[in-house]
Every structure is written in structure tokens, then in C-alpha cells.
Amino acid sequence: MSVEFQELRDAVRQVVDGLDKLGAEQDYWHQCLELGWLMVAAPEELGGLGMGCEAAVAVQLELGRGLSGAPYLPAVMAVSAICDSGLDDKSERLEKIFTGEAITAALVDGGLSASAQTLSGTLNAVLSADSATQLLFWTDDQSLVAIADLSHSAISAQGRDTWDTTRRLFDVELQSLPVADVTVLAEGRSAQTMIKQLRMQRDLGLAADAVGASTALLEMTVEHLNTRIQFRRPLAMFQALKHRCADMKTLCEASEALLISVLDTDSDADVMAAKQMATSHYATVAEEALQLHGGIGMAVEHPCHLYLKRAMLNPHLGTSSAACAESAVQALLDSVA
């Protein structure tokens, strides 16, 4: 981990810890714009800070601590796609995003097909689609990556209720949207390369969200055990509970170590492994934290349930858990063949 990476994490954490409410979408989005967190991965010649994609992961790690509901991940995916495209007005488009023009994308694969110069289908788990003005998407056959205006008459968005109330997800339907009405970022083989990079970036962001949230939840649990008194001594004095916290710490550290190790890889299999470990470990940590908090952990007023519900949703976003597990097994078999 570089010094710049850690310094950026520390700066973002300080801001996140200063926000009063977990998940508050507008508060987190305002900070993302005000402090230039959308600019970190864009090259300097296009108006960015030139810190690389790992800087966006550093920001996502700390946003996960606060269960941020801001559409930061789809925005940095769009920034990356625009930077890698052949558009002549990249700087102008990026400047609009950096100054507040929200652009979103689906956090799961599939649902969109192209035929006869039109696009049709439904994209699921599109973050904050009602407040965004543009949509980044790609077709199922990986022949096209494009941006469309969400106000187009052929596009409609429907909110989807989920247990995780810290994020607002939508189903976005495209009904015979003319390809001529969208901004094409890549086609053919270029589109396949761009889609691979976008999927890796999405999975890294979700893994970072899981690592940040599980770390914050562990700290919250330890603090509770240090203050809750039972039989005239803090719960943290009981050896059985110490061991359970040690196991949770091991899961958090392992997830973060694997995530950091794959930041500069070009292997989508490595990134899927990091996403699978981070989301599954987060779910385990969240279940343990709920039990260690006792009755108060079940109260609606306590934030424990917000972390648990997010942990239950994260494995279903990005590349599916089944695909991640299959990829990891195949990589293991290839290594011993």
C-alpha cells in the first residue's frame, strides 16, 4: 500500500466519520463533489488528479464505512469509460461529471440486447436512477458501450424496494431506444476490452465497500463489548467473546489484504476472488456482530441491522457469487495442472 493511498484513505475517513447519518445519499454525494473524489482516477491532462484507479478504491473503502448511498461507484465507472473512449469532447464531459452531473449504471450484468439499430431490455440494480441525468450501459453481446440521456422518451425507471435502505436501486427499461440517440463509447473488440475493465472496476468497488463496512462494524462491536457490563465486568473480558472478535478481525484483514494485492492486476479472475472473499466475509462479520450486540443489535434504532442488510445484498451485486466461486476453482485447478 503506497503512502498516497493511505493518506487518501485517512482524509476520506476523517470526512466520513464527521457525517452524522449512515448512508445519507445527498450528504455523501455533496462531499464527493466538493472534495474532488470523482477526479482521483482521471488523468491530469483531462482535468483529473491522475492518482489511478486504486485511488477510487481507497475512496470506496471509506465510503463503505459510512454505508454511503451516493452513486460514487457508477460515476467513477463512467469517468473511466469516457477516458478510454475515442470521444473528441472527453474533457468537457468529465468536467460536467466533476461539477455535479450525475451519471449512473447497473450494478449487475445482463438485460440489454441490440437489434435493428435499437436497444431494448431492462437493466437492474441501477443506483439512484431518479436523480441521475445519464446512464452508462453495455449490451449483453458485448458489442456496444454507450451513454444515454435518462430523459429520453424510450427510457423509464422504476424504483425497487430492498432490505438495504441505505441505497436506492432502480430497474431501468429501454424500449426500442435508437442507437443513433446514444453516445457510443466503444464498439466491437474495443467494447469487449472496455466492458472487462468496467466489470473489474465494479467488482473492486463492491469489494472495497464490503471491506470498509465490515471493518467499521467490527470496531462498533468491540466498542460495545468494552462498555456493556455483565456480572460486574465488561463483556470484552469474557474469553469466548474475545475469540469471536479475533476471528472477525482475521476475516477483515484477509479481505483487505487480498483486495490491496489485486489493485494493479489485469486478471478478472483475481478481482472476482477478491470480491467473493470480501462480500462473504462481510456477511459472516455482520451476523457475528448482530449476535455479539445482543438484544440492542436487533433494535431498529441501532445501526447494526443496516450493516447486516447491506452485507446480504452485496454478494448479489456485480459478478455473481456463483461465477466468482467457479472462477476461483478454475484458477486453482489451472495452477496445479
Side-chain angles (χ1 to χ4, degrees):
M1 185 185 304
S2 67
V3 174
E4 292 79 11
F5 185 90
Q6 188 57 52
E7 287 180 346
L8 178 59
R9 282 191 66 179
D10 293 341
V12 177
R13 178 177 298 193
Q14 188 174 7
V15 174
V16 169
D17 288 347
L19 296 174
D20 295 331
K21 187 177 179 182
L22 291 171
E25 178 182 339
Q26 291 304 316
D27 293 345
Y28 281 91
W29 184 242
H30 175 73
Q31 295 297 337
C32 289
L33 297 173
E34 184 74 17
L35 300 176
W37 293 343
L38 294 174
M39 304 167 63
V40 294
E44 294 181 65
E45 58 270 24
L46 294 177
L49 300 178
M51 300 176 69
C53 292
E54 60 270 20
V57 173
V59 175
Q60 190 71 55
L61 272 165
E62 300 308 320
L63 291 179
R65 287 178 59 87
L67 301 181
S68 166
Y72 180 78
L73 178 55
V76 294
M77 290 168 59
V79 168
S80 174
I82 291 173
C83 290
D84 294 339
S85 72
L87 296 176
D88 295 328
D89 58 346
K90 288 189 279 190
S91 296
E92 291 77 8
R93 288 179 178 274
L94 291 176
E95 183 177 1
K96 290 181 180 178
I97 295 176
F98 297 156
T99 54
E101 184 178 75
I103 183 168
T104 188
L107 296 184
V108 295
D109 287 325
L112 190 60
S113 60
S115 62
Q117 295 301 308
T118 62
L119 299 163
S120 298
T122 302
L123 299 171
N124 303 121
V126 181
L127 195 58
S128 304
D130 61 338
S131 58
T133 57
Q134 296 190 77
L135 172 70
L136 169 70
F137 61 88
W138 55 84
T139 55
D140 290 351
D141 61 3
Q142 302 190 20
S143 63
L144 177 73
V145 181
I147 292 175
D149 194 332
L150 276 167
S151 63
H152 196 286
S153 59
I155 301 177
S156 60
Q158 180 67 42
R160 176 184 284 266
D161 293 333
T162 66
W163 271 23
D164 177 18
T165 57
T166 60
R167 290 177 288 198
R168 298 185 305 110
L169 300 180
F170 291 77
D171 295 331
V172 176
E173 184 178 7
L174 280 65
Q175 295 180 319
S176 300
L177 174 66
V179 174
D181 290 352
V182 305
T183 301
V184 176
L185 301 180
E187 294 180 285
R189 294 181 64 85
S190 298
Q192 294 177 16
T193 303
M194 183 177 288
I195 291 169
K196 177 184 175 182
Q197 292 299 322
L198 289 173
R199 283 174 170 165
M200 290 172 59
Q201 193 170 11
R202 180 194 59 194
D203 288 346
L204 281 173
L206 291 169
D209 181 89
V211 170
S214 57
T215 302
L217 187 53
L218 173 59
E219 293 171 2
M220 183 190 303
T221 303
V222 171
E223 181 179 357
H224 170 74
L225 296 179
N226 276 323
T227 54
R228 182 79 166 87
I229 303 298
Q230 193 78 22
F231 302 115
R232 298 182 180 180
R233 58 178 179 169
L235 287 175
M237 297 294 290
F238 292 88
Q239 191 172 37
L241 301 185
K242 289 181 181 178
H243 289 173
R244 292 175 70 171
C245 288
D247 290 341
M248 294 164 66
K249 179 67 172 176
T250 301
L251 296 178
C252 293
E253 291 295 326
S255 299
E256 182 171 336
L258 184 57
L259 174 63
I260 299 299
S261 71
V262 302
L263 287 181
D264 58 353
T265 184
D266 59 356
S267 168
D268 51 357
D270 291 344
V271 172
M272 282 192 280
K275 188 258 181 181
Q276 175 71 1
M277 175 179 281
T279 54
S280 61
H281 283 183
Y282 176 26
T284 302
V285 168
E287 290 171 356
E288 282 287 276
L290 187 70
Q291 292 186 24
L292 291 173
H293 272 82
I296 194 174
M298 303 295 292
V300 174
E301 293 78 7
H302 195 278
C304 204
H305 72 100
L306 296 176
Y307 285 94
L308 176 65
K309 292 170 181 173
R310 191 151 173 142
M312 296 296 106
L313 179 59
N314 272 3
H316 301 284
L317 301 178
T319 304
S320 69
S321 295
C324 290
E326 183 178 352
S327 172
V329 170
Q330 187 60 52
L332 180 61
L333 292 175
D334 292 344
S335 67
V336 299

